[in-house]
C-alpha cells in the first residue's frame, strides 16, 4: 500500500509508551506487517491527550477536518 494508517490496540499503545511492555507474538507480527507494508507513509492514530510522552517523540497533527497543521 502507498499509505498505511494504524489504529493500535491497547497492548500496542502500551508498547509505544514503554518498549519493555511484552507484546504477544501474534500482536508483534501483526504490528510489524502493518508498519512495513507502507511504501510512502505510516500513521498511527493515537489520542495523546493526557498521555506522558516527550514532545520530541512524535509529530502531532490537529484539526483533521481542515488543513493539517504541525503542532
Amino acid at each position: 500500500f502507498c499509505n498505511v494508517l494504524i489504529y493500535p490496540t491497547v497492548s500496542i499503545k502500551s508498547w509505544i509508551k514503554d518498549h519493555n511492555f511484552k507484546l504477544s507474538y501474534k500482536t508483534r507480527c501483526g504490528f510489524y506487517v502493518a508498519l512495513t507494508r507502507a511504501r510512502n507513509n505510516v500513521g498511527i492514530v493515537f489520542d495523546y491527550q493526557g498521555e506522558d510522552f516527550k514532545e520530541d517523540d512524535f509529530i502531532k497533527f490537529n484539526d483533521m477536518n481542515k488543513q493539517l497543521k504541525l503542532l
Side-chain angles (χ1 to χ4, degrees), residues 10-45:
V10 172
S11 59
I12 291 173
K13 287 179 186 178
S14 296
W15 181 84
I16 289 171
K17 291 190 263 183
D18 178 8
H19 294 326
N20 291 319
F21 182 85
K22 300 294 182 195
L23 289 176
S24 71
Y25 178 76
K26 183 178 178 181
T27 301
R28 276 194 329 263
C29 290
F31 192 45
Y32 172 82
V33 168
L35 288 170
T36 59
R37 292 309 180 256
R39 291 182 184 168
N40 300 319
N41 301 294
V42 174
I44 301 174
V45 177

Side-chain angles (χ1 to χ4, degrees), residues 2 5 9 20 23 28 30-33 40 46 49 51 55 63 67 69:
C2 290
L5 190 58
T9 62
N20 291 319
L23 289 176
R28 276 194 329 263
F31 192 45
Y32 172 82
V33 168
N40 300 319
F46 198 103
Q49 297 295 333
E51 297 292 340
E55 288 297 319
D63 207 5
Q67 184 178 4
K69 300 174 186 175

